[in-house]
Amino acid sequence: RSEAPIVRVTRAARGGSDAIAIDASLSMAIGPPGKLQRAAEVAAALALYAVRGGAVVTVLAPPSKLRFVLRAASGFRGLLAALETLRAAEQVEWDRAQFPRCDRATWIGDLAGASPDRIARAAPAGTALVVVQLLAPHEIEPRLDGAAVLVDPESGDRLAVDVGSVASHALAAQHRRVEVAAELGRRRARFVQTSSAESFEAVFERILRA
């Protein structure tokens, strides 16, 4: 009727249900700053944001048995108390690491031993999925002055390295992160990569903008 093109942008009400999973496997103990600590802080901020928007939020932390359902902001202290009990241990069993039925799912972890396919299949069909890869600074830009032995915290595997092999590993890891982001994009999942050196406020904002 106005004889001019109009673009209508709609915004869905938040409401519904959210699930937030924190990787609490042994590789998340690496730091400083500690990856598990930062992941828990980010999860808490996301949970509070969602519940204030009317959502019911389930917070999980595989492979631990932590499962906390936040239904109102008044329960936030209980969530913080539950998260304070988290300790990095063992490995994530991906066949059992499943999100509950929900409208939105967020996975926060270093993605050690996890393929994009495994993460995507952990979320129910039709769920909006966000994957946050949280790494320690030295995992993003490893530095080494001489020969050293690297130890996998979960498997115990040991690898002797020198400056040249560390540089090659860093380049391969960066290529892998690009591939993971692309694969998750093809699966219509949003991908955020961050460092545990970033404040949880900064990580939280980046996730919301993703």
Side-chain angles (χ1 to χ4, degrees):
R1 293 191 296 270
S2 65
E3 298 183 352
I6 296 176
V7 177
R8 176 176 296 173
V9 179
T10 60
R11 178 178 296 177
R14 183 74 183 182
S17 57
D18 285 55
I20 302 170
I22 304 166
D23 179 353
S25 62
L26 197 54
S27 66
M28 290 293 287
I30 293 174
K35 293 187 290 185
L36 184 57
Q37 172 70 27
R38 184 64 76 241
E41 292 168 347
V42 172
L46 290 172
L48 183 60
Y49 173 79
V51 79
R52 283 182 171 173
V56 174
V57 186
T58 302
V59 179
L60 312 165
S64 79
K65 295 182 179 180
L66 184 146
R67 182 186 179 96
F68 191 97
V69 179
L70 185 65
R71 301 182 183 278
S74 59
F76 186 63
R77 287 190 178 183
L79 172 61
L80 293 182
L83 291 174
E84 286 177 356
T85 67
L86 272 183
R87 298 294 182 271
E90 303 178 355
Q91 301 181 46
V92 175
E93 296 183 27
W94 282 97
D95 292 339
R96 298 182 180 180
Q98 299 292 319
F99 286 100
R101 294 200 61 81
C102 56
D103 300 305
R104 295 164 296 270
T106 303
W107 174 266
I108 307 172
D110 56 14
L111 307 192
S115 67
D117 179 65
R118 279 180 164 180
I119 298 173
R121 284 192 286 111
T127 300
L129 175 63
V130 179
V131 178
V132 182
Q133 184 180 39
L134 179 63
L135 300 174
H138 70 271
E139 292 178 306
I140 299 174
E141 295 184 6
R143 297 182 180 182
L144 189 66
D145 295 326
V149 175
L150 303 181
V151 181
D152 186 313
E154 295 184 4
S155 68
D157 292 343
R158 303 169 70 87
L159 177 66
V161 297
D162 55 23
V163 175
S165 59
V166 166
S168 298
H169 171 76
L171 183 59
Q174 179 59 34
H175 288 164
R176 175 59 181 160
R177 289 193 288 270
V178 171
E179 292 173 355
V180 168
E183 179 62 25
L184 287 169
R186 284 191 288 271
R187 296 175 180 276
R188 298 185 179 181
R190 292 180 291 158
F191 178 74
V192 176
Q193 185 197 9
T194 185
S195 164
S196 59
E198 289 191 69
S199 67
F200 82 87
E201 296 94 341
V203 179
F204 171 72
E205 291 180 2
R206 289 183 60 194
I207 294 171
L208 294 187
R209 293 198 303 266

